[in-house]
Amino acid sequence: MFFPKRLIVWAVLLVLSLSQFLLYLPTTTCTTSKGLRLCAPQFTVTVIGGSNTANEFIGSVREFLRLISYLTIDMGWSNELTDPSVYEDENLVDTFQPDKVFELNYFGFCKRSNRSKIYCTSNQNYGMDVLEVLVRDVGIQLGNISTTRSNETKKFGDSLVLTYRLALTSIRDFLKHDKHSGNALSKALIGTPDPNVKDQSPTKNYSKGVNLAYILMVFNGMVFYLAVLELIVGFLSICVVSAFGGALSVGKRHRLFPILLKFSSSILVTLSTLTLLCNVIYLIALKTLEPDDVSVAGPDRAVSHTTGWELLQVNVGSGFIVGLARYAIQWVLLLLAFLAANHYKAKSKKSDKCTENESIPTSPDSMEK
């Protein structure tokens, strides 16, 4: 009965390790529009307006994108295209329209409208950065409405995201090292302060926005690589459990496999904990840009908690829920891995010698002596 018990222990560990790894598959969705557009997002984001400042900002961006759309259509205009319907609103860039929902995942995102997905695409190593997702969507749509570049939408998106990153980094470095002594670039970016107003610091407010966007970019890049590392360790955990089961099947005790089993399970849970904490922190940060529910909190309370930049409506996606289930399974796997490793680890040489000495039968002569 000793061998079947070992086999049952290994089977339970293998099932748990396979289950937690299969639950990583939803994190690889939202990356392509070919075939089924499967997407299990961590978060869903919609651009809305919640305050006068936010509404004015969104309105200005929409008008700017409308102008860029017209210029793109005109620059790519063909003599064969004479239909004036190309200038209608449904053919223009609609990134900041309230009916468009962006489903964010580690490796890509999907854009949908009225519960039907428009497209899904990879976000390379940029993670779930909302600003970069919006910039990439603008680039993809500009590629779609440009008749000369209609087959290069992905390149359009990549180029616009790269431009955004370079511009953000350059502006941040400029604000960090510039003495703001009234040069032309400072005036163009920040404006000239009113000498009649005391304690006015436009540079400080502008720098806050730039630094926030930069931190968002770096943070999501870190979370992306952390998710990739967690996925790799999850696969290695299956390999270690399989090797541990092979050692148990031959009925031998080993020192190495129990150590590897405990180590891989501990690293996996540690990485999963870090990723989950990062997702929770990111969710809280996005929720600060969400308008208060006036109908629930009341108008006075909603106004008192407003920040003036309520731009987004954020919801937890199905991928986040799956991640919680995977995290629970990994903790169960960790507990059973430690119990199995401690129970089936190899005995020390000293204990083996003692066992051998106890098992040697003694002769009558030695007993007399």
Side-chain angles (χ1 to χ4, degrees):
M1 293 298 294
F2 192 54
F3 176 77
K5 288 181 180 180
R6 290 185 172 191
L7 186 60
I8 292 174
V9 171
W10 171 72
V12 172
L13 290 174
L14 185 61
V15 169
L16 289 175
S17 60
L18 286 174
S19 299
Q20 63 87 22
F21 183 74
L22 290 176
L23 290 178
Y24 278 109
L25 296 181
T27 63
T28 61
T29 58
C30 313
T31 56
T32 179
S33 294
K34 296 180 181 179
L36 293 176
R37 299 177 181 179
L38 299 177
C39 185
Q42 298 291 320
F43 309 111
T44 61
V45 176
T46 306
V47 180
I48 60 175
S51 63
N52 292 332
T53 303
N55 289 331
E56 291 176 0
F57 172 76
I58 294 175
S60 300
V61 173
R62 287 173 182 169
E63 292 301 320
F64 175 75
L65 293 178
R66 181 190 295 269
L67 175 61
I68 294 297
S69 300
Y70 290 153
L71 292 176
T72 303
I73 294 174
D74 292 339
M75 292 175 65
W77 187 263
S78 173
N79 292 329
E80 299 177 357
L81 298 176
T82 58
D83 189 358
S85 62
V86 295
Y87 291 101
E88 294 181 358
D89 290 343
E90 58 267 19
N91 297 323
L92 306 181
V93 177
D94 58 357
T95 301
F96 286 81
Q97 296 299 326
D99 62 329
K100 301 300 182 292
V101 180
F102 294 91
E103 300 172 334
L104 310 182
N105 213 335
Y106 296 115
F107 301 96
F109 69 93
C110 289
K111 179 183 178 182
R112 63 178 172 85
S113 177
N114 297 326
R115 297 187 178 182
S116 62
K117 290 182 175 58
I118 301 175
Y119 72 87
C120 299
T121 184
S122 171
N123 203 27
Q124 296 186 1
N125 62 336
Y126 300 133
M128 299 183 291
D129 189 352
V130 174
L131 297 180
E132 292 185 357
V133 167
L134 298 177
V135 171
R136 185 178 295 277
D137 179 65
V138 171
I140 290 174
Q141 291 188 82
L142 290 177
N144 285 329
I145 64 179
S146 175
T147 57
T148 59
R149 300 288 184 180
S150 58
N151 296 325
E152 301 179 2
T153 56
K154 187 177 184 302
K155 291 183 179 180
F156 252 84
D158 294 342
S159 299
L160 205 60
V161 170
L162 180 60
T163 303
Y164 163 77
R165 284 201 156 202
L166 292 175
L168 180 62
T169 303
S170 300
I171 293 175
R172 180 177 177 273
D173 292 339
F174 169 78
L175 294 175
K176 184 177 180 181
H177 298 98
D178 184 60
K179 300 301 182 180
H180 307 293
S181 55
N183 58 59
L185 185 57
S186 295
K187 293 180 180 179
L189 290 175
I190 306 169
T192 304
D194 189 354
N196 297 325
V197 179
K198 296 181 180 180
D199 300 330
Q200 186 182 28
S201 181
T203 304
K204 184 177 180 180
N205 295 330
Y206 192 85
S207 298
K208 283 183 179 179
V210 173
N211 289 330
L212 179 61
Y214 183 81
I215 292 173
L216 201 64
M217 178 181 68
V218 174
F219 178 80
N220 280 278
M222 178 189 69
V223 174
F224 170 80
Y225 288 109
L226 189 62
V228 173
L229 182 60
E230 180 186 345
L231 183 62
I232 295 174
V233 174
F235 175 75
L236 293 178
S237 178
I238 299 178
C239 299
V240 172
V241 171
S242 301
F244 181 72
L248 291 180
S249 63
V250 297
K252 292 184 178 180
R253 297 177 183 267
H254 295 269
R255 294 178 182 271
L256 179 61
F257 290 124
I259 294 175
L260 290 177
L261 183 63
K262 292 191 289 186
F263 180 75
S264 62
S265 301
S266 301
I267 294 297
L268 181 60
V269 170
T270 301
L271 292 175
S272 301
T273 303
L274 291 176
T275 305
L276 181 61
L277 287 177
C278 289
N279 284 339
V280 172
I281 293 173
Y282 188 51
L283 176 63
I284 294 174
L286 293 179
K287 283 291 185 179
T288 60
L289 300 177
E290 190 176 51
D292 290 333
D293 191 352
V294 179
S295 62
V296 176
D300 296 334
R301 184 178 177 183
V303 172
S304 62
H305 286 78
T306 184
T307 61
W309 285 100
E310 289 76 19
L311 300 172
L312 306 175
Q313 182 176 353
V314 184
N315 294 310
V316 173
S318 58
F320 188 87
I321 305 300
V322 172
L324 292 178
R326 182 181 65 244
Y327 184 65
I329 293 177
Q330 288 168 346
W331 270 104
V332 176
L333 177 62
L334 176 66
L335 179 60
L336 293 181
F338 267 78
L339 292 176
N342 292 331
H343 186 270
Y344 293 108
K345 67 181 179 180
K347 295 180 180 179
S348 63
K349 294 182 179 180
K350 184 177 180 180
S351 61
D352 292 340
K353 290 182 179 180
C354 294
T355 305
E356 292 177 359
N357 293 332
E358 291 176 357
S359 62
I360 296 175
T362 56
S363 62
D365 296 335
S366 62
M367 291 292 292
E368 292 177 358
K369 293 179 181 180

